[in-house]
Amino acid sequence: MQLYNTLSAEERAIMIDDAGKQRLTLSFYAYAQISNPTQFRNELFLAWNPLEVLGRIYVAREGINAQLSLPADNFYAFKEAIEVYDFMKGIRLNIAVEQDDHSFLKLTVKVRDKIVADGLEDETFDVTNIGIHLKAREFNALLDDPDTIVVDMRNHYESEIGHFTTAIKPDVDTFRESLPIIEEQLSEHKQDKKLLMYCTGGIRCEKASAYFKHRGFENVYQLEGGIIEYTRQVKAEGLESKFIGKNFVFDHRLGERITDDVVSQCHQCGAPCDVHTNCINEGCHLLFIQCDSCKEKMEGCCSPECVSVIHMPEEEQKSIRRGIKNGNKIFKKGKSDVLTFKNNPEIQAVYVAKKPKAATKKEIKVRKIYIGKGTHFYPKADIGQFLIEENEIKIGDKIIIKGSTTGNQEMIITEMFVNDLAAEKAVVGDTSTFKLPFRIRLSDKLYKILD
């Protein structure tokens, strides 16, 4: 009886591509009393694995927290599988704003002490005594109320790239840090103000709303379904999005574009940027914001030290990182001392003086024609394969590879294989393969730039 994932991420990626099925990325949570979390965990794995569910799921005595993907064809079978449990009947499933077939490449179901770590040891705290849920239209209206205080219940690296404009954004690394800070900051307004909270999908402000009610706040509200559901309702109802920028997400995409506003800056040079990356040094993997220019100059690394490491022989790299725990470094997301702009007030002051206006994302328009689409996903960079659907390409052409996760990548074709043979040109119906300095995805499109 299989109770754990047995395939590598690379093997799973190939299986997804070969299956050719569109996948949905979704999330949900539920607070409930679960008497045997281990048994519950095993039941979920056995029910979900045949449905090709992949993702990161935490279960505890207080409930379940899930971020996952599954073939769109299996959506209703999955819904039936979770609704055998009374506390998940009719549960809201938050569908991601952007879809990526490779958002998750393993099914991991773990038992935890709590589904949201809060640091609380208070047996009188009832996590189910929550605040009032608000839909997008109601939330927007309450934002305009002068007696409202809106609080972002996410961590600093999440709110940095996108937020509601009037929100208080605690500079914290974890949810548990935010609770006492917010309570102290708003202690004089427990009766006279409306406390309005939001987070990514609702799970953190659900617990926070119960906590603040427990601590004496009388008017507690939360955004139903978090930013994910808010965005869906805004689009469906034609509402104004009062959330600007990107919504940080916890899969490899690291963000979903909500509006064109770029509200953050590269942590290395200060240029407008809201693209998170992990340092490619296997012994680091620090999460930080890096623009394309710094990515090229720093070779995807967070520091000169890491650039030096990645050019060492693989065995030497392994020797350096052997026995060293980098978890704490990763945990300080965007706060490492190596991030020159992020941690240098003098550089920031000069940058702000030069660019006083808030930056917005503007795409440089170029003349281009559509060529084709990605046909194969490679777990590592260096290779891209495309089906030529229109026009043609040849060696020497300047191209753009475009996708929601890949962005807009420009390059010149210097060598190419057509239908697995070295060739100068690819025409409609051909499969063209060439080297790339980045990883492509099946949703990526190929364009040729016209002079």
Side-chain angles (χ1 to χ4, degrees), residues 32-37 59-63 112-114:
Q33 299 298 322
I34 298 175
S35 58
N36 190 334
V59 299
R61 291 188 180 277
E62 68 174 9
R112 292 286 179 88
D113 290 335
K114 296 184 179 182

Side-chain angles (χ1 to χ4, degrees), residues 36-54:
N36 190 334
T38 299
Q39 179 182 331
F40 178 57
R41 178 257 172 225
N42 292 344
E43 290 174 359
L44 293 182
F45 193 96
L46 290 172
W48 295 0
N49 195 42
L51 297 176
E52 302 175 64
V53 174
L54 303 173

